[in-house]
Amino acid sequence: MAQRMTLPGQEFVQGLSVNGPQGSVLAFCENNVRVLTHQGQGRLKEVKQFMPVNSGSAITCSYTCVSQGYFYAGNRAGEIHAWGLDQRDFFQSFQAHSSLVLCIHSRPEIHTLLTAGGEGLVKEWDLTLGSLLRQLPIHKDLQQLQFVDNTTFFCLTSSSFSLHRLPCFYSLFNICGSAPQNVKRVYCGQNWTRILCATKDGLVRFLSPVTGELLVITWPLLLMDKAMAWAYDSQREELFVVTQRSEVLVFDTTCSPCTVKYLMCTSESSGDRVRCLAYGQAHLGKDLIGLMFCGHDSGTVTILSHLHCAKANKTIHSGAVLSLSTLEGPQKDALLCSYGMDNTIYLTEASLEENKIILEPVIRIVCGCFLMYVILMPGSVGAITENHSWRMWHFQDFLRSSESEQSFMFKETKHLHQCNITAFDVCVPMKLFVTGGADGTVRIWDFQGTLMTELDSAFPFGPLCFANSRGDLLVAFNQSLYLVSCLKLFPPAQLIYLSLHNNADEIQEVPKPFLPSFFFSFGLIFVPKFTYLEQGLQEFQGLEALANKRIIAFDKTVPHVVEGERRKSSITQETPNLSVLEDKTTEWSTLEHKDSGPQHKDLPQLQLIGWDELNICHILKNFFGQGRKWPLAPDGYIPNSVVRARLWPEGTPIYLHHDMDLSYLTKDWDMSQLTWKPSLILSDSRGKSKLKPSIRTYLNVLINTTYRNWMEKKFDEGLINNLVEVILSLTTCCSVKEYKTYIAVLAQIFANYEVSPELRTETASRFIEDTVHPNPQIRKLSWEGMERLGLMSYLFAIPLTLGLLDSDERVRAKALSILINVTGIRTKTMLVDLLEEQDIMQEMQ
């Protein structure tokens, strides 16, 4: 015997395993696992112990996953425990089986965990969310199960021995953080596509079809909970969203999160709701490339084009338009397939005559039954019927036959599923389509209705689509998307057909940086609302406010929506709740706010009060629209929400930059250099006073009225800069009285010492931020502070103009006084003349 170990408390050892971390030996001791390492000459030493929390059940098996850094153990109660290998702290626990756990095996490449229980089930778990992906029944009398490799395992019952394969045919594509509601592939350019995924939490994201990375994400406005259709304009990089209203919400996808650009009314009737969208990239001449199609409740199809704001309406169906479909990619002809409540399919063509767009029907197809899904393909239309079958109509058959014969000119398959079809998509290059049934089955068919392959699951899949032209499949399950390679799906004959196609690789995009601070400074987003009229005209109808009560929190790369917990930033305090506009249309000039007591919680700049003749929209458009691409409405109007966010970041004057990482907010202050008079601070035994306080300690010093005593002393530049930054940090969260004191101290410093240009700019930026503070007294003091510090010049005409629109009369009066005293501008004409100067933008920069 080389060694004999007695465990503490004389614990019963139920089993041993030599598959521990770094080749160690594991001892299953009642309800914990002890890790023993080799010390040479056959001797062992205990180095670590894994102890479950609040579980007294005996450990039955374990698994070490070094690549993930986790150690897993199962017990007789059916629980799975997980620890981090680099720490002893308990990590996670969940109930996996109804009886004892027989085996644990991890697949780190797809981030899943396989477990086997005594009830005879093998289960696969998503490690990110802890949700069950699939389960496989083996045998009720299962005694032992052990994996040979990642796909093969053997089972032992009381009377048999068997070998099984559990293939890993899918890979994790993207963890959404919320259940996907719609997944589709959108065309962006040659060999360039994106995956559009809309989730239950109101987010719409674009994913890379190559890597699954998050490229762009929208902000979770409350209105997005009602989203029912999406279409992407790849030419202008705009996302159109239908929200059960008569207008369409348009996002700018050039930034992440996507900003709301404008609301576009497509119908003169406010009750004519938009039901569906489609985008077609057709070249009609005169630089007219892309067209957006909208289907309405009235049976009307509207065509929208950004070329001269072109618009065309045509009533096609006798009932609501349920579905619109166009061909993918650039096309010579602008074909549109529409399906309506009248159970009729119309193939129409858009064309350009002189400067007008017209929509003419080409083919009319009477369906005879209700259709669940309709899609336009080259030379044909495909549909899924209410009887769960696939039906195809070929255009050439209709062109050669009489109208009486057309009712029977289609090819239809037998039932594809014995239950409702809940998901559908087509891969035209491979001549395949995929269906998802309510029973959890996913099946891929060719256009003749021949079954190519089937994925069977005990749990229902969610939305699905083809990821590319090769036929790789994306399937939603729980809160994640999984990719199934065409090499795993297709039979050999189909793979040979695939090899004959020269399918180029998709372009791999770089994800856009997520810049959340743009939205944090306000709780209402003001969006310009436009109506497209005939003859290339558009009409600005005013501003509509969208509630912005949610934020996005990232868990590594997974976005999660946080409801009603907008953090109070140091830049702008959280706005009060307003009883405006979650489902109502609110005009800019009619917003009203309820008083919330003496704290003055009114939102600034929401009412157009005073200077009614000043056309602020026109001025800002002319001033900021020169040579820069802004997230603006079609006519260049800058929404109020963008103005309140200080037009951050591109093209913004330096003192208007919205910088959430200011140095005075994050710096670790070294205050040991400050030497004070004994009358102000306690002295040491040698009569010297040194202060090493925290930032909050400065409050008691700065409010002392004798601060002028030490103002007369001369300090070096570094110490002064340090002091200014400390005071700026204190202004981010203080009372009105303290705010006045800090301004007074800064005024003394700026008057007696040479402050660096960088710090003067930072000081101006700090006070500009407070010009939109919820408290009107702070807003007024911030204007006064910049005037006292000598920071004002005629270049501050734009922010002072915004001060003239403040909701508080005292703030407006102060802004007007400063505008007259500092810039010499006394009339509206003088202000407009300044703002329209050609070189003013470059000078401000």
Side-chain angles (χ1 to χ4, degrees):
M1 180 181 294
Q3 181 186 11
R4 179 176 179 176
M5 295 185 63
T6 302
L7 300 179
Q10 295 184 342
E11 291 178 338
F12 176 65
V13 180
Q14 302 171 102
L16 293 172
S17 173
V18 294
N19 297 321
Q22 298 178 347
S24 58
V25 177
L26 301 176
F28 303 149
C29 307
E30 297 183 5
N31 68 332
N32 64 85
V33 180
R34 298 184 183 273
V35 182
L36 312 173
T37 60
H38 299 274
Q39 299 295 309
Q41 298 180 351
R43 301 184 64 83
L44 299 173
K45 178 183 178 181
E46 182 179 335
V47 295
K48 185 180 292 188
Q49 181 183 13
F50 294 108
M51 174 73 73
V53 175
N54 299 328
S55 178
S57 182
I59 301 295
T60 57
C61 59
S62 69
Y63 184 84
T64 304
C65 185
V66 177
S67 61
Q68 289 180 317
Y70 295 142
F71 174 76
Y72 304 96
N75 61 20
R76 299 190 68 85
E79 299 171 327
I80 300 293
H81 305 293
W83 295 266
L85 290 176
D86 57 349
Q87 58 184 2
R88 294 189 180 187
D89 296 336
F90 178 71
F91 178 72
Q92 190 177 10
S93 177
F94 64 95
Q95 187 74 37
H97 296 273
S98 59
S99 62
L100 80 163
V101 182
L102 295 175
C103 180
I104 302 174
H105 186 80
S106 178
R107 286 175 170 173
E109 65 277 4
I110 57 173
H111 210 57
T112 63
L113 188 72
L114 292 162
T115 63
E119 75 277 10
L121 294 176
V122 175
K123 298 182 179 182
E124 186 166 16
W125 304 87
D126 175 11
L127 288 178
T128 303
L129 302 169
S131 57
L132 184 60
L133 289 178
R134 57 176 173 165
Q135 65 183 23
L136 177 68
I138 301 297
H139 199 284
K140 292 183 178 180
D141 187 25
L142 188 61
Q143 302 291 322
Q144 185 180 359
L145 185 145
Q146 185 171 333
F147 276 84
V148 179
D149 54 32
N150 266 353
T151 60
T152 309
F153 60 91
F154 70 84
C155 299
L156 181 66
T157 66
S158 57
S159 59
S160 65
F161 175 85
S162 58
L163 201 63
H164 299 261
R165 264 189 97 248
L166 190 63
C168 179
F169 59 90
Y170 53 86
S171 60
L172 183 63
F173 184 76
N174 183 271
I175 303 169
C176 299
S178 180
Q181 290 184 316
N182 187 280
V183 181
K184 66 177 182 178
R185 181 172 176 257
V186 295
Y187 179 86
C188 300
Q190 186 176 6
N191 300 330
W192 179 21
T193 60
R194 289 174 173 174
I195 303 300
L196 185 151
C197 178
T199 48
K200 190 176 180 180
D201 55 7
L203 291 174
V204 180
R205 66 205 77 198
F206 284 113
L207 308 174
S208 168
V210 181
T211 64
E213 287 183 288
L214 177 64
L215 301 175
V216 180
I217 192 169
T218 63
W219 197 256
L221 302 172
L222 297 182
L223 186 62
M224 293 297 287
D225 289 346
K226 300 179 180 180
M228 55 187 296
W230 306 263
Y232 181 60
D233 184 343
S234 58
Q235 294 296 311
R236 295 177 58 90
E237 297 187 63
E238 292 179 343
L239 175 66
F240 287 68
V241 182
V242 174
T243 57
Q244 301 182 16
R245 293 159 46 149
S246 61
E247 61 264 1
V248 178
L249 189 64
V250 182
F251 286 88
D252 174 26
T253 64
T254 61
C255 54
S256 183
C258 301
T259 56
V260 180
K261 294 181 70 172
Y262 55 95
L263 274 164
M264 183 166 54
C265 299
T266 59
S267 175
E268 297 179 359
S269 172
S270 60
D272 191 10
R273 185 177 54 163
V274 180
R275 295 286 295 261
C276 49
L277 292 171
Y279 176 76
Q281 197 176 109
H283 297 263
L284 301 182
K286 294 187 178 182
D287 297 327
L288 183 58
I289 297 178
L291 297 174
M292 185 65 65
F293 300 92
C294 306
H296 297 262
D297 276 342
S298 62
T300 301
V301 173
T302 303
I303 307 177
L304 303 172
S305 171
H306 289 289
L307 178 64
H308 307 304
C309 303
K311 174 189 173 184
N313 287 328
K314 190 173 184 65
T315 301
I316 297 179
H317 296 273
S318 58
V321 183
L322 301 179
S323 174
L324 293 176
S325 178
T326 58
L327 296 175
E328 182 182 280
Q331 306 292 329
K332 294 182 180 180
D333 301 320
L335 294 178
L336 173 70
C337 176
S338 63
Y339 171 70
M341 285 289 290
D342 52 6
N343 284 337
T344 303
I345 296 174
Y346 280 94
L347 182 69
T348 54
E349 182 178 359
S351 59
L352 188 65
E353 288 188 0
E354 296 180 355
N355 289 325
K356 286 190 64 177
I357 298 177
I358 61 173
L359 189 64
E360 293 294 335
V362 179
I363 294 176
R364 175 175 176 265
I365 303 174
V366 179
C367 304
C369 68
F370 185 74
L371 304 180
M372 305 295 295
Y373 302 92
V374 180
I375 189 165
L376 176 64
M377 299 177 292
S380 62
V381 173
I384 299 294
T385 70
E386 61 181 346
N387 297 322
H388 323 313
S389 61
W390 166 254
R391 184 181 291 189
M392 284 188 70
W393 295 269
H394 294 279
F395 301 155
Q396 59 183 3
D397 295 338
F398 284 81
L399 298 177
R400 298 172 183 172
S401 60
S402 62
E403 185 174 351
S404 60
E405 299 174 332
Q406 291 179 358
S407 300
F408 306 98
M409 290 189 172
F410 59 84
K411 297 179 180 179
E412 186 171 355
T413 66
K414 297 180 179 180
H415 296 328
L416 305 176
H417 294 260
Q418 298 303 317
C419 59
N420 290 334
I421 295 177
T422 58
F424 167 76
D425 193 28
V426 170
C427 181
V428 174
M430 296 298 297
K431 298 182 179 179
L432 300 172
F433 67 94
V434 59
T435 56
D439 58 354
T441 57
V442 173
R443 295 171 181 173
I444 296 181
W445 316 78
D446 64 14
F447 284 172
Q448 284 71 45
T450 304
L451 180 63
M452 308 299 293
T453 189
E454 179 179 2
L455 307 178
D456 197 358
S457 171
F459 308 97
F461 291 110
L464 49 80
C465 73
F466 286 104
N468 46 49
S469 59
R470 295 187 299 272
D472 293 332
L473 186 64
L474 282 178
V475 179
F477 187 81
N478 284 337
Q479 298 183 17
S480 299
L481 290 175
Y482 293 88
L483 178 70
V484 184
S485 171
C486 61
L487 302 178
K488 303 284 186 180
L489 287 172
F490 298 157
Q494 193 69 25
L495 293 177
I496 295 174
Y497 178 76
L498 175 63
S499 65
L500 299 177
H501 284 70
N502 187 19
N503 291 315
D505 292 335
E506 301 276 354
I507 294 176
Q508 184 172 337
E509 285 189 78
V510 177
K512 296 184 185 297
F514 184 82
L515 306 173
S517 59
F518 179 88
F519 292 92
F520 279 10
S521 58
F522 43 91
L524 288 176
I525 294 179
F526 292 85
V527 182
K529 189 173 179 180
F530 294 88
T531 297
Y532 272 19
L533 306 175
E534 299 293 340
Q535 305 300 324
L537 299 177
Q538 60 185 355
E539 184 180 81
F540 173 60
Q541 293 187 331
L543 293 174
E544 180 145 348
L546 303 181
N548 184 34
K549 298 180 181 179
R550 298 170 176 173
I551 63 173
I552 299 175
F554 277 89
D555 178 11
K556 296 183 178 178
T557 60
V558 181
H560 297 277
V561 175
V562 182
E563 182 80 32
E565 294 293 337
R566 297 193 325 111
R567 70 179 179 87
K568 293 183 179 181
S569 72
S570 61
I571 304 303
T572 305
Q573 299 299 317
E574 185 175 8
T575 58
N577 292 329
L578 297 177
S579 58
V580 294
L581 225 191
E582 296 188 3
D583 292 312
K584 301 177 181 179
T585 301
T586 303
E587 294 296 335
W588 188 20
S589 58
T590 59
L591 285 176
E592 297 180 356
H593 309 282
K594 295 182 179 179
D595 292 337
S596 55
Q599 299 299 320
H600 296 286
K601 293 295 185 180
D602 296 331
L603 269 178
Q605 301 179 18
L606 301 186
Q607 297 178 352
L608 186 58
I609 304 176
W611 280 36
D612 283 338
E613 296 83 11
L614 179 61
N615 190 343
I616 187 66
C617 305
H618 176 69
I619 291 176
L620 291 177
K621 178 183 69 174
N622 291 340
F623 183 68
F624 287 106
Q626 300 178 9
R628 298 190 180 274
K629 291 184 178 180
W630 292 85
L632 309 179
D635 67 343
Y637 172 75
I638 302 177
N640 195 336
S641 54
V642 179
V643 174
R644 291 168 59 217
R646 273 89 65 201
L647 303 171
W648 175 84
E650 185 184 6
T652 308
I654 186 65
Y655 51 79
L656 293 180
H657 272 216
H658 188 168
D659 187 358
M660 297 298 292
D661 191 26
L662 297 175
S663 60
Y664 58 77
L665 298 179
T666 58
K667 190 171 181 178
D668 186 14
W669 302 103
D670 179 12
M671 304 173 187
S672 59
Q673 302 180 49
L674 287 176
T675 304
W676 307 83
K677 274 196 170 186
S679 60
L680 297 179
I681 274 299
L682 294 176
S683 304
D684 61 12
S685 57
R686 294 172 294 177
K688 294 184 178 180
S689 327
K690 290 193 175 182
L691 184 64
K692 298 181 179 180
S694 65
I695 293 180
R696 182 50 56 188
T697 307
Y698 271 92
L699 176 61
N700 298 324
V701 176
L702 294 177
I703 63 176
N704 194 308
T705 57
T706 59
Y707 63 83
R708 293 181 180 84
N709 294 335
W710 56 267
M711 275 295 175
E712 299 172 356
K713 299 179 67 66
K714 295 298 180 183
F715 297 101
D716 59 52
E717 182 181 355
L719 185 59
I720 290 300
N721 290 344
N722 191 15
L723 181 60
V724 170
E725 291 184 332
V726 170
I727 298 173
L728 291 179
S729 70
L730 292 173
T731 64
T732 61
C733 186
C734 64
S735 65
V736 174
K737 182 179 179 180
E738 293 166 352
Y739 199 87
K740 291 180 180 178
T741 302
Y742 300 147
I743 291 177
V745 174
L746 287 173
Q748 289 288 335
I749 294 176
F750 275 61
N752 290 277
Y753 298 95
E754 187 69 28
V755 180
S756 66
E758 293 80 9
L759 197 53
R760 294 177 70 87
T761 298
E762 194 170 44
T763 304
S765 177
R766 174 79 274 277
F767 284 112
I768 280 289
E769 291 154 8
D770 282 341
T771 60
V772 292
H773 195 281
N775 191 332
Q777 297 182 60
I778 295 293
R779 300 201 298 273
K780 180 175 177 289
L781 287 173
S782 64
W783 289 118
E784 292 178 352
M786 285 185 285
E787 185 181 23
R788 291 185 61 183
L789 297 179
L791 300 174
M792 285 294 190
S793 71
Y794 76 96
L795 298 178
F796 272 71
I798 285 294
L800 283 169
T801 302
L802 301 180
L804 297 175
L805 304 178
D806 198 284
S807 61
D808 188 88
E809 183 179 0
R810 295 166 297 176
V811 180
R812 296 198 303 273
K814 172 56 65 177
L816 180 59
S817 173
I818 296 175
L819 185 68
I820 295 173
N821 296 335
V822 174
T823 68
I825 297 174
R826 296 180 178 275
T827 65
K828 182 185 73 172
T829 303
M830 296 174 64
L831 176 61
V832 172
D833 291 342
L834 172 66
L835 299 183
E836 289 183 344
E837 291 181 10
Q838 293 296 322
D839 299 331
I840 192 68
M841 187 65 176
Q842 289 76 11
E843 192 172 350
M844 290 181 69
Q845 291 297 336

